[in-house]
Amino acid sequence: SHAHVRDDAAQYLAYFKRSWVDKRDAVPMKASGSRHSRSKSYFPMPYALADEYVDSDKLGDVVGARPIDVVCTLRDKRGGRGRVLPWLKEYAAERKLHDVRLGQLSSAGRTVIDAGYLSTMRRAKVVVTCNPTGWEGDFRLFEALSSGALVMVDRMGTPYHHPLIDGEHVVYYDHTNKTDLLDKLTHALNRPHWARKVGVKGYAHVLRHHRAVSWADYFLRTAHARMLAEKGEEQKYAETGQAVLARANRPVSGAPPVKADFATRREHGALAFAANEHADDDTLRIEDV
């Protein structure tokens, strides 16, 4: 709750909000709160990857063997999470998957780095996660991405800087549609080299753009871009909060023009997924990451 913050956030140069969308029955509906649309200061704030998540000496090598077919550590029985985990358990039983981890692995909180939990995901081919019922964004997604496995996550409404592209860095699914989830999981398990490529590209993408230091840089360049815009000066930063909102069709002062090729990346992601239907090789070019 931010009841102490005026709706227009006029006292802030830039105010970053983690819970950005309203959800109905666990489905993102719209940007939450009229103050988002009225304010020049509100910007979305994604979660970030903690450096401790990528300590290979403690957690195991991300390019090591992956004997576990699927990991899903959800424990909430509500909303999308309450649907996804039972569907996966049913799927694993029907297909007689020999090695899965479905359900809570540990009772440790997020004040500690749980090596057992993180290292288990590093031995998985696919990690399935789902956003919380009442809000969007959580540490689970970035814990999963730190594993190098192919990560499947429900579709999100929060606009991101350097977004995760469907079929390139992650695979998005509809948590209200059992067939959509399980068809995409089958695709990944049947094409392990393709799944490995998407997992590695997702891992490289979050290391490059979504570490805590990347977060801080996003905050600072967004605030500086606002300062320059108010002075009528040009700014040349990429992937500011202003640019993120402009891509989400909410132009704000200080946003650079949206590049057409980047504006269409959501469609490109779906096409890339389809184009890779038969690309079952393990060639990973340097430009892929």
Side-chain angles (χ1 to χ4, degrees):
S1 172
H2 300 288
H4 62 288
V5 179
R6 295 208 311 259
D7 278 356
D8 62 0
Q11 68 269 46
Y12 295 101
L13 184 63
Y15 184 90
F16 296 89
K17 193 167 191 311
R18 190 175 61 191
S19 183
W20 188 259
V21 298
D22 280 336
K23 298 180 80 171
R24 184 178 304 159
D25 296 328
V27 178
M29 302 302 295
K30 62 180 180 178
S32 63
S34 59
R35 63 184 180 180
H36 285 23
S37 59
R38 291 203 305 264
S39 174
K40 297 179 180 179
S41 301
Y42 274 98
F43 300 100
M45 181 180 76
Y47 280 70
L49 180 77
D51 287 349
E52 291 84 355
Y53 293 170
V54 292
D55 187 341
S56 294
D57 290 337
K58 294 180 179 178
L59 305 176
D61 199 332
V62 292
V63 295
R66 293 187 176 269
I68 303 173
D69 290 314
V70 185
V71 168
C72 178
T73 65
L74 299 173
R75 55 191 176 191
D76 195 342
K77 296 182 179 179
R78 300 169 298 164
R81 291 180 171 183
R83 288 186 287 270
V84 167
L85 186 59
W87 289 344
L88 293 176
K89 289 181 176 179
E90 178 185 319
Y91 176 89
E94 288 179 354
R95 291 180 62 93
K96 297 180 171 59
L97 297 182
H98 72 281
D99 200 348
V100 296
R101 304 287 189 277
L102 302 177
Q104 184 174 346
L105 288 179
S106 169
S107 60
R110 285 183 168 80
T111 58
V112 299
I113 300 299
D114 189 338
Y117 161 66
L118 293 168
S119 63
T120 296
M121 290 192 291
R122 288 197 170 206
R123 294 185 289 116
K125 298 178 180 73
V126 179
V127 175
V128 180
T129 188
C130 187
N131 279 278
T133 300
W135 67 92
E136 190 173 272
D138 65 351
F139 285 113
R140 285 181 183 274
L141 174 58
F142 286 92
E143 290 164 351
L145 287 162
S146 75
S147 72
L150 181 142
V151 174
M152 295 182 61
V153 63
D154 59 316
R155 293 192 178 278
M156 297 181 288
T158 303
Y160 270 55
H161 66 95
H162 298 288
L164 295 161
I165 304 300
D166 189 17
E168 294 184 31
H169 308 124
V170 295
V171 171
Y172 291 110
Y173 66 87
D174 179 352
H175 70 59
T176 68
N177 187 325
K178 180 180 179 180
T179 300
D180 183 62
L181 168 66
L182 300 184
D183 281 355
K184 289 174 178 177
L185 177 56
T186 299
H187 178 99
L189 293 176
N190 287 347
R191 294 165 177 81
H193 297 306
W194 174 82
R196 192 67 172 260
K197 285 201 290 188
V198 175
V200 170
K201 289 169 71 174
Y203 175 73
H205 186 76
V206 295
L207 281 178
R208 182 176 294 146
H209 299 299
H210 292 284
R211 294 168 58 215
V213 66
S214 316
W215 218 20
D217 188 56
Y218 165 67
F219 295 160
L220 293 173
R221 66 179 180 263
T222 298
H224 193 216
R226 172 107 192 268
M227 289 175 63
L228 293 174
E230 290 184 346
K231 295 178 181 178
E233 298 179 14
E234 182 183 7
Q235 67 87 17
K236 298 182 179 180
Y237 292 117
E239 291 298 284
T240 59
Q242 294 89 337
V244 168
L245 292 181
R247 278 206 302 274
N249 297 318
R250 211 207 94 185
V252 292
S253 177
V258 180
K259 295 180 180 179
D261 60 337
F262 204 92
T264 58
R265 290 293 286 278
R266 182 175 294 276
E267 290 76 14
H268 172 62
L271 292 174
F273 187 89
N276 277 299
E277 180 73 22
H278 302 292
D280 193 19
D281 68 271
D282 57 4
T283 304
L284 191 66
R285 302 167 300 171
I286 190 65
E287 56 265 34
D288 285 334
V289 297

